[in-house]
Amino acid sequence: MARTTARNGTTPSNAPSARAGVHDRAPGPSLAGVWAADYAPAPETVRTAIAPRHAHYINGAWREPSEGTRFPTINPATEEVLSEVAQGSGRDVDAAVRAARAALPAWSALRPAERAKFIFRIARRIQERSRELAVLESLDSGKPIRESRDVDVPLAAAHFFYHAGWADKLAFAFAGRTPRPVGVCGQIIPWNFPLLMAAWKLAPALACGNTCVLKPAETTPLSALRLAEIIDEIGLPKGVVNVVTGDGTTGAALVEHAGVDKIAFTGSTEVGKRIAASVAGRGTRLTLELGGKSPHIIFEDASIDQAVEGVVRGIYFNQGEVCCAGSRLFVQESILPEVLRTLEVRLASLRVGDPLDKNTDVGAMNSRSHLDRVLGYLRRGTAEGAVLCTPARENGEPARPLTSDALDAWRPAGLSRGFWCPPCFFTGVQPSHTIARDEVFGPVLAVMSFRTPDEAVARANNTPYGLAAGIWTDKGSKVFEIAGKLKAGVVWCNTYNRFDPASPFGGYKESGFGREGGVQGLRAYVRLDEPRRPRGRAT
């Protein structure tokens, strides 16, 4: 068993195997944000141990890869290898599915209140190991510790708490129907919120009496494997949750396995379409949470400071690597100059740098390949005629255009390694521009204008996606009118990126189908018997 941490989740300071952030290394160039000259570094002090090698978690035990192959997972802020992770083969996936199938009868027959106790214990253990999990998540993904500590980990625990409460109340969730487990669930999660997405998938499935095979993303597998440790610690029956790591071929083996009753996938629209084609006609249930090109709409009666703050939260949170990122900004024409000035000032105050520094607002991009993809969109945007603006290097200095040639060389001051992209926005954007149509999945905002509410709605809906949207106005009647016309699964009003386990999340059109969270999210994990008919009524 590849136990990777001390039982309290931390490692003694003299442990030679401990790997942590850049502040553990010998003195060298500071990773503090380039705009943070007036801030002293505030590095995270918790040391998280990471084993040099990781195996699969199958049937309650750590299992070496059947073909003996592994791949590295790296810290995107330093490009250092954090660990070698098992590459899952078809045989590994088959073993995990068989273990889940064998565990299903006992787990689904367990009294719901007892299932709730197990789920509750997972939530409590996540809370107890929260700092360790936050550090691990930032090391593996590049996201700022402030976000993993204050958003990802607390929300992951909240999802387990919330669904523990549902386990013995399912009969009340579907009036007149009897819910039964779907069976074995194959769950494939993305790299942008590894622990949180694992919680979104596992918690409702377990509450409804299903067993699971979880496949984390190949660039961020460590927090899912640490979650498997927690599951092992709390004594969840073997085989109920299995974790198989690997690349896309591992995910494909899971999707195509005949023993899986339901697939839940969060990721790109391109892969989601392939999964939908693969399971079509097999009777395998499917829910997809895919990409987005979500709009912000700022009306002239909005509080501009509040709106710009919400826009910054909407697009630069997690480096813009968010499916519901508000990557298109529509501003009413009369206030466009003021909004741009405010946006420039706010953008200049963002600190880019070491993800483990508590002052950091924007961390490292997840991988080299993803950084190259985002930079490609920046070049295409400038080539098509839009103006790229990046924040000033000192507060008060206006935003400046960044040439295409300078993109590759850009990085926070003093850094020579890592995957970095400047938070930026485009002006002069036309609806036909690539950056206004494609999901960039980076800290890149496309700013456009509109004159009337009808034009704003028409332009916001002019996309193949329909995941989320934001409306900024001080008129309540306008909020309800516009929200009802937007084709998006989630519409935030005078706020953005607010999540709660009790609130369903999902999209329309090419953003997928099905919901996660809330009572609506339970529906995908149960089969419902025919409605009970009142006594005495003729059939």
Side-chain angles (χ1 to χ4, degrees):
M1 180 180 295
R3 291 280 185 199
T4 59
T5 65
R7 300 297 291 183
N8 64 359
T10 61
T11 299
S13 58
N14 59 349
S17 61
R19 294 165 181 259
V22 293
H23 293 284
D24 286 344
R25 300 199 307 267
S30 171
L31 275 173
V34 294
W35 300 280
D38 54 339
Y39 284 83
E44 173 61 53
T45 56
V46 167
R47 300 292 181 263
T48 298
I50 302 176
R53 307 179 80 185
H54 283 82
H56 305 301
Y57 182 71
I58 298 175
N59 202 28
W62 297 97
R63 175 169 169 161
E64 294 299 317
S66 60
E67 297 181 356
T69 55
R70 299 176 185 275
F71 60 91
T73 182
I74 67 172
N75 181 342
T78 63
E79 303 183 47
E80 295 176 343
V81 174
L82 295 171
S83 181
E84 297 284 335
V85 180
Q87 169 62 42
S89 66
R91 288 168 56 193
D92 297 321
V93 170
D94 183 64
V97 173
R98 288 178 183 276
R101 179 64 62 188
L104 182 62
W107 177 251
S108 59
L110 192 64
R111 284 200 315 121
E114 296 301 315
R115 285 206 307 268
K117 290 178 182 177
F118 282 109
I119 303 170
F120 187 83
R121 288 174 199 157
I122 295 173
R124 287 297 304 272
R125 198 69 183 116
I126 289 175
Q127 285 186 323
E128 291 165 357
R129 299 176 65 169
S130 58
R131 290 192 72 180
E132 167 200 0
L133 289 167
V135 172
L136 186 68
E137 196 79 311
S138 288
L139 284 171
D140 206 21
S141 69
K143 67 174 61 190
I145 185 68
R146 198 169 60 185
E147 294 176 0
S148 55
R149 179 196 63 194
D150 297 345
V151 180
D152 294 53
V153 176
L155 273 178
H159 271 269
F160 281 106
F161 276 126
Y162 174 78
H163 289 94
W166 268 118
D168 61 350
K169 303 176 188 64
L170 294 175
F172 305 103
F174 308 100
R177 313 288 293 273
T178 301
R180 305 189 188 284
V182 169
V184 176
C185 300
Q187 304 178 315
I188 303 172
I189 57 176
W191 47 257
N192 55 343
F193 293 94
L195 181 65
L196 182 56
M197 289 299 101
W200 277 31
K201 297 286 187 291
L202 292 175
L206 297 179
C208 294
N210 302 282
T211 55
C212 304
V213 178
L214 181 74
K215 208 293 278 182
E218 62 266 37
T219 58
T220 55
L222 297 183
S223 58
L225 291 166
R226 198 62 58 99
L227 180 61
E229 282 187 25
I230 289 174
I231 287 169
D232 194 65
E233 281 181 357
I234 62 101
L236 192 74
K238 65 179 183 180
V240 173
V241 171
N242 307 272
V243 179
V244 180
T245 53
D247 58 15
T249 61
T250 309
L254 182 59
V255 169
E256 295 166 1
H257 198 290
V260 174
D261 300 300
K262 171 184 165 48
I263 291 292
F265 172 75
T266 296
S268 71
T269 296
E270 178 187 357
V271 176
K273 288 179 178 179
R274 293 205 298 267
I275 291 175
S278 176
V279 304
R282 286 170 28 198
T284 304
R285 290 193 172 204
L286 177 65
T287 49
L288 297 173
E289 199 269 274
L290 307 176
K293 192 67 180 175
S294 301
H296 283 281
I297 302 174
I298 304 180
F299 290 97
E300 60 187 359
D301 53 29
S303 165
I304 291 179
D305 288 345
Q306 179 187 4
V308 169
E309 192 61 33
V311 169
V312 168
R313 173 193 291 270
I315 183 61
Y316 302 120
F317 171 68
N318 203 46
Q319 300 77 244
E321 297 168 336
V322 185
C323 55
C324 58
S327 54
R328 292 182 297 156
L329 174 59
F330 297 99
V331 184
Q332 198 149 15
E333 199 169 81
S334 59
I335 58 170
L336 180 60
E338 184 178 359
V339 168
L340 288 178
R341 283 196 300 272
T342 307
L343 183 62
E344 290 172 3
V345 171
R346 182 65 181 91
L347 201 60
S349 70
L350 294 179
R351 292 177 291 276
V352 184
D354 180 9
L356 291 185
D357 191 314
K358 297 166 189 171
N359 291 322
T360 296
D361 297 304
V362 180
M365 304 299 286
N366 181 260
S367 64
R368 165 60 66 186
S369 61
H370 182 60
L371 173 62
D372 290 343
R373 178 178 179 275
V374 172
L375 294 181
Y377 275 112
L378 297 186
R379 293 190 184 89
R380 189 174 301 180
T382 55
E384 291 178 350
V387 178
L388 174 61
C389 295
T390 58
R393 287 192 174 271
E394 295 181 1
N395 290 341
E397 182 182 327
R400 60 186 175 80
L402 185 68
T403 64
S404 177
D405 294 339
L407 286 173
D408 280 333
W410 191 93
R411 60 183 62 246
L415 299 183
S416 58
R417 306 190 72 183
F419 313 131
W420 308 97
C421 179
C424 57
F425 64 90
F426 278 100
T427 59
V429 179
Q430 298 300 317
S432 59
H433 286 170
T434 303
I435 54 171
R437 295 184 286 105
D438 287 9
E439 182 183 35
V440 177
F441 219 66
V444 184
L445 179 67
V447 182
M448 293 166 275
S449 64
F450 67 92
R451 293 182 177 177
T452 67
D454 287 343
E455 181 187 2
V457 171
R459 297 183 70 178
N461 287 337
N462 185 23
T463 172
Y465 301 107
L467 190 54
I471 303 171
W472 300 89
T473 173
D474 72 346
K475 300 291 190 295
S477 58
K478 189 180 292 183
V479 165
F480 286 111
E481 179 189 359
I482 300 300
K485 294 178 179 178
L486 291 175
K487 294 183 173 62
V490 179
V491 179
W492 284 291
C493 301
N494 291 328
T495 188
Y496 206 85
N497 273 348
R498 296 292 184 181
F499 301 97
D500 189 279
S503 180
F505 184 87
Y508 287 96
K509 300 189 286 187
E510 293 192 12
S511 291
F513 51 80
R515 294 294 181 266
E516 294 184 304
V519 65
Q520 295 85 354
L522 299 171
R523 182 63 184 86
Y525 289 98
V526 295
R527 299 181 191 276
L528 297 179
D529 290 348
E530 290 300 314
R532 295 188 294 269
R533 297 180 183 281
R535 291 181 178 177
R537 177 173 293 182
T539 59

